[in-house]
Amino acid sequence: MSYIERIVIQGFKSFKRKVSVPLLPGFTVFTGPNGSGKSNVAEAISFVLGMQSRAIRAKKAEELIFHGGKSKEAAEDARVFLHINNSDKSLPLEQEVVVSRRINKAGVSTYKINGKTVTRQEIVDILAQGRISPYGHNVIHQGDVMHLVEMDPVDRRKAIDEISGILEYEEKKQKAYKELERVAEKLREAEIILNERLQILERIKRDRDMAVRYQELQKELDLVRAALIWLEYSNVEVDMKELDKKIIELEKEVVILDKEIKDLDQELEKEEKILDNITSEFLKVSDSVEVSKKLANLRSEIEIKRDRVGSNNREIERIREVLNRERGGKSFISHLKEFSGVKGILADLISFRGDYGTAVQVAGGSHLNDIVVNTSDTAVKCVKHLKENRIGRARFLPIDKVRSSANMSLPRGAIDWVSNLLQFKPEYKMVVDYVFSTTACTKDADTANSILKAGNRVRMVTLDGDLFETGGAITGGFFKAAASGDSKFFKDIERLERENKDMLEDIDNLEIQIEKLSKQETKAQSISSEVKKIRFDERMKKFREKRKESYEKRLTLLQKLNENKIQRARFEAKEDNIKLQWERYKELEKTLGDFKEMKEYKLKERQKYLIMEIDKLGPINLRAVDEFDAIKKDFDVFKEKFDTIMDEKNTVESSVIEIEKKRIEVFTIALDKVNKSFRDIFRELTNGDADIRLQDTNNLDSGLIISASPSGKRLLNIDSMSGGEKTLTAIAFLFAIQRYKPSPFYILDEADAALDKVNSAKLRDLIKKHSKLAQFIVISHNDEIVRAADQIFGVSMEDGESKLLGIKLPEN
């Protein structure tokens, strides 16, 4: 173990001149009268080790410097050199270590190790590796023993804290507490932010769930609608095929009848020639016969014209019936005249510039044949009337109920809303807006496409009939405008009526001629009668009746044929309309699955349910789906940070628990070992018993109680002992501390001051015993102590300056 080989003192306190004191490893005593300066030797050692001025009986740094005497000048500075034998290499330096400290009057200290200038902390850190400390319990200055006796139990416990090393754990714990406080604050702040974000997330989640539910319902609704359209398309195709078969059959029958009528006409022509021949035989040269012939021809011509007028009238009636069936709502107006609130067909209530015709026809579609009424009550009455009388079905637009959902700005580049391109009475504004105000009119498809690309989701129609739906579907191509109203049918009726008028006028003229010729008829009565008889022969009558029957049958077949063709045209229009609708849903065809197998009424029930469910949802924020994903991502990132902080807090808390656990463990081990040493040393000194314990065994921060019972006495608290007993107990405690954490040397400055001769002897023996293991430097003027020393230095005071003298006592 290392020890102090030499101490050199110059200008320190009472030592003016340079004094070099060689020391041995064993038991050395510095003795002398009070006031001689012997304690300054112990303080010089503490000074060079780095002890502060106030701890070595000096209020100011300059008080450590020799201040002079009557005949001696004050020193400029104080210097102390400590030569340490480092043969055991307990210090990370050479075999001999020289530690020095110089302090000037300004209080500035200079530290050196082996001649190299270092800081005080470097001195303290290096010496600590060899268990040398300026504040260690191995240095007992004057009054330290009584201070230990008189100190507070908590302060007394701190001695155990120091030697056990739990101060390190206490520092770690305090640092951990600060860290825990910092983390807890971060956690509180993060928790506030997290709760705020959670509330936002939950609100957005509700919107997202509604949006997702809406999308699911809308997706299924699209599938149901697609299935209905697909089913309707399939039915139309079947109906058209059946209708095509009927049309072919009817056309074949018409061809057969045409041939039959042609054959009959040829037969009639032959019979007429025969009749003419017979007549000519009877009317060779007679004028009256000629008159009769003319009369017969005129009457025959009148009969033919009257037959033609009858045929034309039947054709007119047929066309009108067809017209009524085709016009739908228009045909119902005549049946609904009894209701005062019926305004008319929408197409008849509006007018527009010619170049807008195609756009208006495409934008209005089937609504153009809707019947406009004043109120919903009128509409219901009309519906009941049509149903009760089995007239048909029509769509009604009540002025008091229909409302337009339009509330949008006209897209830039559009001509105008279609509703603004129409002329109509003010009372029809709500109906016109309902049908046309949500459709914008554009010049051409390129303009509409530009508006669509700009993000405007609005229904648009071009001047040449291309249609852009809000859902994205685009319908266009060559558009063949429908005939204006029913002009074709009206032209046919007008032509037939004009033809009838002409023929009736011809009949009137012919009858006038017959009347004139009848007056000229004289001699040929018998011939005329015979001719008349032949003309109206039974066979001719049968021919004509058969031709009339065939002709009427032909007209009936033509009527059926026209009806079927009209029906087919309707089917074609319906098919085209379905195809337009299918454009929106055709991409869903592969996903229809079981919907294709469902009955139409089931699909409609499901459609009704889905629409009701969508309506229940109310306003939907579709952006919430994307917003939720973004906010959820941010929330998860922040939640991860929050969890990291929480983990950090748990880690710190665990660290505190582990530190405290280790602190208790280390303190308990140290206390037990010190207590054992204390009891052994006290027994050695007094042959009595002693004990140290915490005031509260469950509280490591409670005070330390020292109890002892010198031989023959009961166990007493240290505060209840006599002065000598207190000193011995305190010394035993100090030696127990040193035994737990041994130092290479010990300094006792008048630790025996309160001991009598007997107890001094006990202390002497204790020191002598321990000096074999460590160096003891004792300041004392107790003979019992002095005589036992291995080396003795006498200290005296001359003219304010301390002087040292080596003393060798007799061996006995």
Side-chain angles (χ1 to χ4, degrees), residues 549-747:
E549 181 183 344
S550 297
Y551 187 78
E552 288 179 351
K553 187 176 180 181
R554 178 180 178 275
L555 289 179
T556 302
L557 287 176
L558 286 174
Q559 182 176 341
K560 288 183 179 180
L561 182 61
N562 285 334
E563 287 176 355
N564 284 316
K565 286 183 177 181
I566 290 170
Q567 184 64 29
R568 192 183 193 289
R570 287 176 179 169
F571 282 149
E572 287 178 350
K574 187 175 183 180
E575 185 180 41
D576 291 341
N577 185 43
I578 292 171
K579 285 179 179 179
L580 289 176
Q581 296 180 58
W582 183 248
E583 285 296 319
R584 179 182 174 186
Y585 300 106
K586 65 180 180 180
E587 66 273 10
L588 301 178
E589 183 176 5
K590 294 181 180 179
T591 61
L592 288 178
D594 295 338
F595 286 105
K596 285 186 176 181
E597 307 301 325
M598 290 177 68
K599 300 294 183 182
E600 184 177 6
Y601 78 94
K602 285 287 186 182
L603 289 170
K604 288 184 176 179
E605 286 178 358
R606 187 61 182 171
Q607 178 179 247
K608 182 179 179 182
Y609 167 76
L610 292 171
I611 292 172
M612 290 175 59
E613 289 297 307
I614 289 174
D615 291 341
K616 286 180 185 178
L617 294 176
I620 300 297
N621 178 15
L622 292 175
R623 292 182 301 177
V625 177
D626 295 332
E627 289 176 357
F628 176 80
D629 293 339
I631 293 173
K632 180 65 165 61
K633 184 177 180 181
D634 291 342
F635 177 82
D636 290 341
V637 171
F638 192 82
K639 179 64 166 59
E640 187 175 343
K641 292 180 181 178
F642 178 83
D643 292 340
T644 300
I645 297 173
M646 179 62 77
D647 292 341
E648 185 179 356
K649 178 177 178 289
N650 294 336
T651 300
V652 174
E653 288 177 342
S654 300
S655 175
V656 170
I657 293 171
E658 287 299 317
I659 290 171
E660 183 63 16
K661 182 179 177 182
K662 189 66 176 177
R663 177 173 169 259
I664 293 171
E665 178 185 349
V666 170
F667 180 87
T668 302
I669 292 172
L671 181 63
D672 291 344
K673 289 186 177 180
V674 170
N675 189 31
K676 182 178 183 306
S677 298
F678 172 63
R679 297 175 69 177
D680 292 343
I681 294 170
F682 188 80
R683 188 178 296 109
E684 186 178 344
L685 286 174
T686 67
N687 198 28
D689 291 326
D691 182 63
I692 55 175
R693 58 181 171 80
L694 291 173
Q695 287 178 318
D696 182 357
T697 56
N698 295 321
N699 183 6
L700 212 62
D701 296 324
S702 62
L704 187 69
I705 301 300
I706 299 177
S707 302
S709 59
S711 179
K713 296 184 178 181
R714 61 186 180 84
L715 192 66
L716 297 173
N717 188 295
I718 192 171
D719 297 330
S720 304
M721 299 178 185
S722 64
E725 291 172 339
K726 288 180 179 179
T727 300
L728 285 177
T729 302
I731 290 173
F733 179 69
L734 291 171
F735 269 80
I737 288 174
Q738 298 306 320
R739 184 175 291 181
Y740 178 79
K741 206 165 188 179
S743 291
F745 60 85
Y746 296 88
I747 300 174

Side-chain angles (χ1 to χ4, degrees), residues 393-459:
R393 296 171 61 85
R395 181 163 52 195
F396 297 88
L397 300 177
I399 296 173
D400 68 330
K401 293 300 180 183
V402 293
R403 293 293 182 271
S404 170
S405 60
N407 191 19
M408 299 178 289
S409 300
L410 182 69
R412 187 174 182 180
I415 297 172
D416 205 339
W417 298 110
V418 175
S419 57
N420 296 333
L421 303 177
L422 305 175
Q423 289 81 48
F424 50 86
K425 290 182 179 180
E427 64 177 304
Y428 303 135
K429 181 172 178 11
M430 298 307 292
V431 173
V432 172
D433 284 348
Y434 171 74
V435 176
F436 296 104
S437 66
T438 57
T439 303
C441 182
T442 65
K443 180 181 178 182
D444 49 36
D446 290 336
T447 303
N449 193 34
S450 298
I451 293 172
L452 182 62
K453 287 182 177 179
N456 291 294
R457 308 294 285 187
V458 62
R459 190 171 186 255

Side-chain angles (χ1 to χ4, degrees), residues 34 61 115 121 149 160 182 322 514 558 561 607 640 781 786:
N34 292 334
Q121 191 59 47
V149 172
I160 305 298
R182 182 188 66 79
V322 170
I514 289 173
L558 286 174
L561 182 61
Q607 178 179 247
E640 187 175 343
H781 49 64
V786 173

